[in-house]
Amino acid sequence: MSNFPDPPSSIIALAQEYQRRAYCPYSKFPVGAVLVGSNDEVFGGCNVENSSFSLTICAERVAMHTAVAAGVREFSYLVLSSHGAVAPCGACRQVLAEFAPNLKLFLISPDAPEIQQRYDLQELLPAAFSGSAIKNAP
Ligand code: THU
């Protein structure tokens, strides 16, 4: 990731706060996400699990869908907080790519302010499927 500044400490702390809000009684794996719009608007999310397991939604999709519902569709970066500073699941990579194929990602842990990993979304989802494929169909 070239020349992109690290997020301010307030955004890192906010992602950790969203992680604490996770509802994850089944996996006990809380995740917090903060998605920052091109206009610097901030949208948070946490994973929300369900007793019918497949209805669980990830933190990244909560943040993205909240932003889109608020009228924001352009994004610059995402901060994701989880134990082990894991990268987004495949489904969330695809959802993030719908609106932000050039998104920057910063992965952090719940208990430390340092960035653990930095990625471009294109590194995590190369050759992504996109709406242009549908439009170009015969
Ligand atoms: N989870 C996320 O919130 N984001 C991801 O990218 C990976 C997984 C959540 C879903 C579930 O509540 C828990 O982590 C364990 O899979």
Side-chain angles (χ1 to χ4, degrees):
M1 190 192 304
S2 58
N3 286 335
F4 195 88
D6 280 354
S9 56
S10 58
I11 298 290
I12 290 170
L14 190 61
Q16 292 167 327
E17 169 60 26
Y18 271 98
Q19 186 184 0
R20 289 191 286 275
R21 297 179 192 173
Y23 175 72
C24 54
Y26 306 107
S27 73
K28 302 196 183 343
F29 187 77
V31 183
V34 169
L35 186 61
V36 178
S38 306
N39 56 4
D40 285 337
E41 273 193 86
V42 168
F43 302 92
C46 61
N47 49 333
V48 182
E49 298 187 344
N50 191 277
S51 55
S52 180
F53 291 172
S54 64
L55 298 180
T56 290
I57 186 164
C58 294
E60 300 92 313
R61 279 179 282 156
V62 171
M64 173 61 85
H65 294 163
T66 300
V68 173
V72 174
R73 295 182 180 179
E74 291 182 4
F75 304 99
S76 62
Y77 68 91
L78 175 85
V79 178
L80 194 63
S81 180
S82 66
H83 296 282
V86 299
C89 76
C92 287
R93 295 177 197 196
Q94 180 68 31
V95 168
L96 294 170
E98 179 75 17
F99 292 100
N102 298 312
L103 195 70
K104 310 293 179 192
L105 292 97
F106 298 91
L107 309 182
I108 62 171
S109 304
D111 40 17
E114 297 84 19
I115 305 296
Q116 306 292 317
Q117 294 284 350
R118 298 167 183 79
Y119 289 110
D120 288 307
L121 183 55
Q122 286 181 2
E123 289 177 74
L124 298 179
L125 191 67
F129 184 76
S130 77
S132 61
I134 299 168
K135 288 182 196 128
N136 293 337

